[in-house]
Amino acid sequence: MTSTNDNLSTPIEFLKGVGPAKAALLNKELGIFTFKDLLEHYPFRYVDKTKVYQISEIHEDLPFIQVKGKLTGLKIMGKDRGKRLVGSVYDGTGSLELVWFKGVTYMQKFLQLNQEYLVYGKPNVYKGRVNIPHPEMEQQGLIRPPGSQFEAVYSSTEKLKSRGLDSKGIGRLFQVLFTKVGRADLPEYLPDSFLQNFRLSNRYEALKEVHLPTSEAASNAARLRIKFDELLFIQLSLLSRKVNRIQKVSGIVFEGIGKQFHTYFNDHLAFELTGAQKRVLKEIRRDTRYGSQMNRLLQGDVGSGKTVVALMSMLMAVDNGLQACMMAPTEILAQQHFKGLCEELREMDVQVEILTGSVKGKKRKEVLERLAQGEIDILTGTHALIEPTVKFKQLGIAVIDEQHRFGVAQRARLWAKNEKKPPHVLVMTATPIPRTLAMTLYGDLDVSVIDELPPGRKSIQTMHLRDKDRLRVFRFMREQIDKGRQVYVVYPLIQESETMDYKDLMDGFDSVTREFPLPKYAVSIVHGKMKPADKEYEMQRFVKGETQIMVATTVIEVGVNVPNASVMVIESSERFGLSQLHQLRGRVGRGADQSYCILLTGNKLTNDGRKRIRAMVDTNDGFKIAELDLQLRGPGILSGTQQSGMEKLKLASLTEDTRLLARVRSIVEDLLEEDPQLEKEENAKLKLALEEQNRHHNRNWSRIS
């Protein structure tokens, strides 16, 4: 939330009941420094104490419940660690046992026999009898504060609880806070038309109701308003940047399509482009011909043909006397792109070079000089491309592959290679992004999707087997190798247990080489601890067909293209995320032969593990897999400099509020179409609120994707 009033910036220690010691704990434990921070510490659920159950109605499957009755018994039972206080309460329909294992002495003094109590807790069954462990006990006849029948529940920590700031303690702070913070501190910034058309609560009332709820319906309305605001400001930020970029940032005009593009398309393209590839090329051509700077995200599943689209886009730049570059996250992938481009353009007069960390000395100097002179048309490489010494004569388009592997600041340095006009930017990802996430992470980009696979590609068959089926897997691998195929065997590599994972890999390598001995079989091994030259040597042996099996860690997730490899065996596949499993599976299925992915797991799987494996077996659709991955894991933490405002989401959820997000997106698009700069009088307060929101996010990352 935003405010123009300094009251919200008051340090939290000045709130009655806090003080310096508790304030220091709130700072450290929950990041609460000011009144505003406390306001934004929203409850994660509510306790409904409006319903009172009869004891005869209670069973163990009920959630937290409340009963009203007389305390008819109270005694200490057991000794030492087994010591507990056992009470019983009677309401006319039956008796209910209450149990306390902690605070026994205190509770015994606090409770009074034959007194009426409201009892609140979660029913539990022990030895066939229902009881409530550690219930809340409230003496009947005491006056409840307003709204206390529907209570907010807050996250806390052990250190805060020890200082009286458990959920109830934090809740009490809000009773005090709203005596200090009034309507003037939380002015309304939404236009009246928004409040009326979308039936939204007033801002002040929503914030008060979310913390001090009077009913379930009122708290739901309050939460809706706060979620609406969170999503509204993210979409306003993203789409305003997009409007400004289109209106104010001029790009290099590609006057026409010329000789190189047509020669490649007519004489050297080895296959018919899919309808999706043609559609994306038309979108890129439209972006580059009218003078605004292209900023486009290209999504496409593994093997969908994004690289060909990138190549033809770069040829558009070359035809207009400009240079192009293609940046990849790893040396292996950069080398693969370089070799692929050289192969595709071998009969054409297009100069292609590569620049990575391993290009040194005289060769590096030569590449830099030729690049500055404009003698290199297309430069591929790693993050070496963004070093200050790398100067283009005139960069027309920058293609960034597997863009999620680069931080935003890294991409910014590439964007700044042209002093006068920025290059067009095409960022590519083979990790399908669910629509809701794309709207939030990349809402200021134009998005293209290649949703067709090239003709002739066969769907990869995916199987789930257990460790006990290993001999069956070896037998299948042998059958495939006898047909002239090659096999990947991949082991997980998780940073926290790198030593253990390395041991798993080496044990696996020993096991595979025993089953597939020399001289009939040869096995490559690739992992992150190897020197780059050794890694490249092993990779090339596999690429050339000198080895039939590659045992590797996830280093081969991106950047290895071996059409002859038809089997992917993933060990301990329950330890991988869904998107990573899908990426690994995409290493096979690149040739005309039927390909297979075998997911090996232990015998015990978590519920999420079962869902992931089942999804992999059921579908090859990367977008369906990405949607499920989002549901299972949440949006995660963005790599690199955060640009999307996802860190602003405190109540809204990208997995639960998809319909609201789509609705807000549509509202913002309509708003900016009518008033692109929010200059109309009715939008003035909203514009001020947006500017305050963006004060801490004022670097315009949208320009560089």
Side-chain angles (χ1 to χ4, degrees):
M1 298 296 121
T2 59
S3 172
T4 54
N5 194 297
D6 288 340
N7 200 17
L8 292 186
S9 60
T10 305
I12 195 66
E13 67 179 280
F14 296 115
L15 187 68
K16 185 178 179 182
V18 179
K22 287 182 180 178
L25 265 182
L26 286 167
N27 297 171
K28 186 178 178 182
E29 298 291 299
L30 295 178
I32 294 173
F33 292 85
T34 64
F35 285 8
K36 177 177 180 290
D37 294 333
L38 181 60
L39 263 181
E40 293 178 357
H41 183 64
Y42 300 120
F44 65 90
R45 68 178 175 90
Y46 295 91
V47 167
D48 185 359
K49 293 185 176 179
T50 55
K51 178 175 172 62
V52 177
Y53 285 81
Q54 293 186 331
I55 290 174
S56 60
E57 298 177 300
I58 297 173
H59 54 83
E60 65 174 317
D61 294 330
L62 285 172
F64 284 81
I65 55 115
Q66 183 174 239
V67 298
K68 182 169 68 174
K70 183 181 289 186
L71 187 66
T72 56
L74 195 65
K75 59 182 176 179
I76 293 177
M77 300 180 69
K79 293 182 179 179
D80 302 324
R81 290 186 178 180
K83 185 178 178 181
R84 61 200 181 278
L85 178 65
V86 179
S88 60
V89 66
Y90 179 74
D91 72 348
T93 71
S95 291
L96 177 67
E97 189 175 82
L98 314 174
V99 187
W100 291 267
F101 297 96
K102 294 179 181 179
V104 169
T105 305
Y106 170 79
M107 291 304 298
Q108 189 181 29
K109 289 179 180 177
F110 170 75
L111 296 171
Q112 300 174 30
L113 277 172
N114 299 315
Q115 177 64 52
E116 290 272 341
Y117 285 94
L118 275 169
V119 180
Y120 180 82
K122 175 76 174 74
N124 176 54
V125 170
Y126 179 69
K127 291 185 177 180
R129 294 185 63 189
V130 177
N131 63 34
I132 296 184
H134 289 276
E136 293 179 18
M137 305 290 287
E138 184 180 329
Q139 196 170 320
Q140 276 289 82
L142 295 178
I143 299 173
R144 278 184 157 178
S148 66
Q149 285 188 306
F150 197 75
E151 291 178 10
V153 181
Y154 296 90
S155 59
S156 185
T157 68
E158 289 305 317
K159 288 182 179 178
L160 285 168
K161 288 174 185 175
S162 70
R163 298 302 301 269
L165 290 175
D166 57 2
S167 175
K168 284 187 175 294
I170 292 172
R172 283 191 289 271
L173 294 183
F174 285 102
Q175 297 278 0
V176 181
L177 182 66
F178 279 99
T179 65
K180 301 289 184 185
V181 173
R183 290 181 184 275
D185 303 300
L186 296 164
E188 184 56 75
Y189 42 63
L190 290 186
D192 289 341
S193 59
F194 273 42
L195 298 176
Q196 292 162 11
N197 293 345
F198 307 113
R199 297 178 182 176
L200 295 171
S201 303
N202 170 277
R203 182 185 176 213
Y204 169 77
E205 288 160 0
L207 278 164
K208 187 171 184 181
E209 190 66 46
V210 84
H211 292 294
L212 304 174
T214 53
S215 69
E216 184 175 10
S219 74
N220 286 341
R223 288 170 71 83
L224 175 66
R225 166 63 201 265
I226 293 167
K227 288 179 180 184
F228 183 95
D229 283 10
E230 288 181 347
L231 296 172
L232 176 77
F233 282 118
I234 289 174
Q235 293 303 315
L236 266 175
S237 297
L238 290 168
L239 292 174
S240 294
R241 290 175 197 168
K242 184 174 179 179
V243 167
N244 286 333
R245 173 171 55 80
I246 291 168
Q247 291 182 347
K248 297 179 182 178
V249 181
S250 58
I252 301 165
V253 176
F254 291 4
E255 298 285 355
I257 300 292
K259 176 186 172 185
Q260 304 296 0
F261 185 96
H262 287 304
T263 300
Y264 178 75
F265 182 76
N266 293 322
D267 301 338
H268 301 293
L269 189 59
F271 49 82
E272 176 75 17
L273 292 177
T274 63
Q277 287 172 311
K278 291 176 182 175
R279 182 183 70 241
V280 172
L281 281 167
K282 284 178 183 174
E283 290 168 347
I284 292 168
R285 176 67 192 122
R286 188 176 63 238
D287 286 350
T288 56
R289 72 188 301 181
Y290 292 122
S292 61
Q293 186 235 358
M294 178 179 78
N295 215 21
R296 187 166 286 278
L297 171 68
L298 175 56
Q299 294 190 69
D301 225 331
V302 176
S304 61
K306 296 183 299 299
T307 308
V308 170
V309 170
L311 167 56
M312 296 178 76
S313 302
M314 291 191 289
L315 289 177
M316 291 181 195
V318 174
D319 274 337
N320 285 273
L322 304 164
Q323 294 165 294
C325 72
M326 190 170 190
M327 187 164 74
T330 65
E331 176 127 1
I332 292 168
L333 189 51
Q335 287 283 354
Q336 181 179 303
H337 283 319
F338 175 60
K339 289 168 186 171
L341 291 172
C342 288
E343 177 65 22
E344 289 291 312
L345 302 173
R346 66 188 182 281
E347 297 175 16
M348 294 174 57
D349 184 23
V350 178
Q351 300 302 307
V352 183
E353 263 299 352
I354 185 168
L355 190 66
T356 67
S358 62
V359 179
K360 300 182 186 298
K362 187 186 291 186
K363 175 64 177 173
R364 188 179 191 85
K365 185 180 178 184
E366 179 200 329
V367 169
L368 293 177
E369 286 176 354
R370 291 180 61 217
L371 187 69
Q373 294 295 323
E375 295 171 13
I376 294 172
D377 298 310
I378 298 175
L379 182 66
T380 63
T382 56
H383 59 276
L385 299 188
I386 61 179
E387 291 174 5
T389 53
V390 179
K391 298 187 185 300
F392 294 83
K393 185 176 182 183
Q394 190 170 20
L395 181 61
I397 187 168
V399 179
I400 302 170
D401 196 14
E402 292 302 327
Q403 56 78 34
H404 62 283
R405 303 261 178 136
F406 293 101
V408 179
Q410 287 177 303
R411 302 200 296 268
R413 302 219 299 274
L414 182 60
W415 183 80
K417 288 292 179 183
N418 277 2
E419 290 183 12
K420 294 181 181 177
K421 288 187 177 180
H424 297 292
V425 175
L426 180 67
V427 293
M428 305 195 301
T429 178
T431 304
I433 303 165
R435 183 169 175 265
T436 51
L437 203 53
M439 274 194 284
T440 309
L441 302 191
Y442 309 109
D444 52 343
L445 303 187
D446 296 304
V447 179
S448 293
V449 178
I450 300 181
D451 49 11
E452 293 177 63
L453 288 178
R457 286 280 175 92
K458 292 180 180 175
S459 183
I460 301 165
Q461 289 186 19
T462 304
M463 296 169 275
H464 173 213
L465 297 173
R466 311 276 179 169
D467 285 338
K468 62 182 175 59
D469 302 313
R470 193 169 302 279
L471 291 178
R472 179 180 161 193
V473 174
F474 285 149
R475 190 163 59 246
F476 182 72
M477 288 166 60
R478 201 170 284 114
E479 289 169 3
Q480 288 291 302
I481 292 169
D482 288 345
K483 292 178 181 177
R485 311 282 175 258
Q486 290 167 279
V487 179
Y488 296 103
V489 181
V490 178
Y491 285 81
L493 185 62
I494 299 172
Q495 205 170 3
E496 288 83 357
S497 55
E498 194 168 311
T499 305
M500 182 184 76
D501 292 320
Y502 180 66
K503 181 177 180 297
D504 286 350
L505 176 76
M506 298 315 294
D507 287 349
F509 179 68
D510 290 343
S511 174
V512 170
T513 50
R514 278 196 305 272
E515 284 291 326
F516 298 88
L518 290 165
K520 185 176 180 181
Y521 303 100
V523 183
S524 291
I525 183 168
V526 178
H527 57 80
K529 291 190 173 184
M530 295 169 72
K531 293 178 181 176
D534 295 338
K535 201 186 299 181
E536 179 63 18
Y537 171 73
E538 288 291 324
M539 289 270 198
Q540 286 307 315
R541 289 177 69 209
F542 189 67
V543 170
K544 293 172 184 174
E546 294 170 6
T547 60
Q548 295 92 356
I549 301 170
M550 177 185 282
V551 176
T553 58
T554 52
V555 72
I556 60 101
E557 177 189 344
V558 172
V560 182
N561 184 19
V562 184
N564 192 49
S566 65
V567 181
M568 168 65 69
V569 179
I570 306 177
E571 294 272 1
S572 303
S573 55
E574 70 272 23
R575 292 171 66 186
F576 292 89
L578 250 179
S579 291
Q580 196 173 34
L581 286 173
H582 184 62
Q583 284 278 311
L584 286 167
R585 176 168 61 184
R587 295 300 103 203
V588 295
R590 292 172 168 256
D593 302 302
Q594 179 61 59
S595 291
Y596 306 89
C597 178
I598 298 171
L599 305 174
L600 274 171
T601 70
N603 292 321
K604 291 184 178 179
L605 289 176
T606 63
N607 191 37
D608 280 357
R610 272 193 297 274
K611 286 180 181 176
R612 286 200 300 272
I613 301 299
R614 173 52 53 195
M616 287 292 293
V617 172
D618 286 348
T619 183
N620 282 293
D621 186 326
F623 287 93
K624 287 182 181 175
I625 284 170
E627 289 284 357
L628 181 60
D629 204 27
L630 179 63
Q631 291 169 22
L632 292 176
R633 298 199 301 168
I637 297 171
L638 298 178
S639 59
T641 304
Q642 289 196 324
Q643 65 185 9
S644 68
M646 264 178 55
E647 71 275 18
K648 299 177 194 173
L649 292 179
K650 296 189 176 181
L651 268 191
S653 161
L654 294 186
T655 55
E656 295 171 11
D657 298 312
T658 54
R659 290 176 66 184
L660 180 61
L661 173 58
R663 188 181 181 199
V664 169
R665 173 88 174 183
S666 176
I667 290 166
V668 172
E669 286 172 342
D670 291 345
L671 176 67
L672 294 179
E673 189 175 337
E674 287 183 17
D675 187 9
Q677 302 302 323
L678 299 180
E679 293 170 333
K680 292 184 178 179
E681 186 179 345
E682 64 263 33
N683 297 326
K685 291 178 182 177
L686 182 59
K687 185 176 184 178
L688 281 173
L690 176 63
E691 287 170 353
E692 189 168 338
Q693 276 279 322
N694 288 338
R695 235 182 0 202
H696 303 297
H697 305 272
N698 58 4
R699 296 181 70 179
N700 195 354
W701 296 116
S702 74
R703 294 185 177 182
I704 46 81
S705 76

